[in-house]
Amino acid sequence: MSEQELMLYQAFENFMTENLFWRLLYLNNASFGTPLSSYTKNKLMSMDKPFENIISKIYPAKEGNELVVAVAQYNRLFIAYVDCLVSNCPEAGKLKREWEEGGQRIARILCKINPYWHKTEWSAMIKHETQLLNSIASNLQTRDYAAFVNTAPICRRLVIDMAAYLSAGILKQREAR
């Protein structure tokens, strides 16, 4: 792996693991109603800025912006879903579907901007991530706290794999130019 490849991979891995960290932290704090839930919500909502810094250097203007907006919306839908789930709001199912659809929108955008990424792979990875996070959320609601501890490392491994796939596609696209 070249230095450039390593830097690209590390940038995406750092972003994606940090984004996951704030999702898990928000989920945990919201579930337990801690004073940190507002702080973690704000941190998660601000994750579009570091993503924009990375992606705008690779995909300028419209292509990159559409992806940044979709990722920010995905985080907002996650927050809305968790808030609704925690408060036993009847809209939880609807918000869950919107959050899942947001993930599939990200998959479509990724495949539109890079021919070396495939919708099947992105859809599966993003769907798996939403299923894992939903499993943690549901289990926290039923006070099955072991699910958080057992599932969070799987989520981390998945986002690392996603970062590798993301980086590999960008590098292939650059080489083809």
Side-chain angles (χ1 to χ4, degrees):
M1 183 180 280
S2 73
E3 187 174 331
Q4 181 186 18
E5 291 170 328
L6 182 60
M7 287 177 55
L8 183 64
Y9 170 72
Q10 286 177 329
F12 282 115
E13 181 185 1
N14 289 341
F15 165 76
M16 294 173 91
T17 54
E18 184 178 358
N19 195 59
L20 173 65
F21 171 78
W22 290 113
R23 283 184 190 156
L24 291 170
L25 212 54
Y26 179 68
L27 180 55
N28 192 51
N29 282 286
S31 294
F32 290 105
T34 74
L36 289 175
S37 62
S38 292
Y39 176 77
T40 57
K41 178 190 275 189
N42 291 335
K43 287 297 282 185
L44 182 54
M45 289 180 69
S46 71
M47 287 303 296
D48 60 321
K49 301 297 183 239
F51 185 65
E52 182 177 23
N53 287 337
I54 299 167
I55 215 71
S56 66
K57 293 175 181 142
I58 302 161
Y59 297 106
K62 185 181 175 196
E63 294 176 321
N65 189 50
E66 185 179 10
L67 183 58
V68 170
V69 168
V71 168
Q73 179 65 14
Y74 187 64
N75 279 341
R76 282 191 293 278
L77 287 167
F78 173 75
I79 290 167
Y81 169 60
V82 169
D83 288 347
C84 195
L85 197 61
V86 167
S87 65
N88 293 314
C89 133
E91 298 291 311
K94 177 182 177 268
L95 287 168
K96 179 183 173 218
R97 282 188 301 282
E98 288 177 15
W99 172 48
E100 290 168 342
E101 289 167 7
Q104 294 311 300
R105 178 172 178 243
I106 292 170
R108 286 190 302 276
I109 294 168
L110 286 165
C111 295
K112 184 170 75 172
I113 66 175
N114 188 316
Y116 297 96
W117 292 324
H118 303 286
K119 188 171 184 305
T120 305
E121 283 82 359
W122 274 121
S123 292
M125 287 187 286
I126 293 170
K127 185 175 183 176
H128 191 206
E129 181 189 32
T130 57
Q131 289 170 337
L132 290 169
L133 290 170
N134 185 56
S135 173
I136 291 171
S138 299
N139 282 302
L140 282 175
Q141 293 307 111
T142 62
R143 295 189 166 87
D144 178 2
Y145 308 123
F148 187 99
V149 173
N150 295 329
T151 308
I154 299 167
C155 291
R156 183 175 182 278
R157 182 69 242 169
L158 178 60
V159 298
I160 289 170
D161 290 345
M162 291 166 78
Y165 188 65
L166 192 68
S167 300
I170 291 168
L171 293 170
K172 285 178 186 174
Q173 189 176 34
R174 282 185 178 174
E175 289 170 3
R177 288 182 183 167

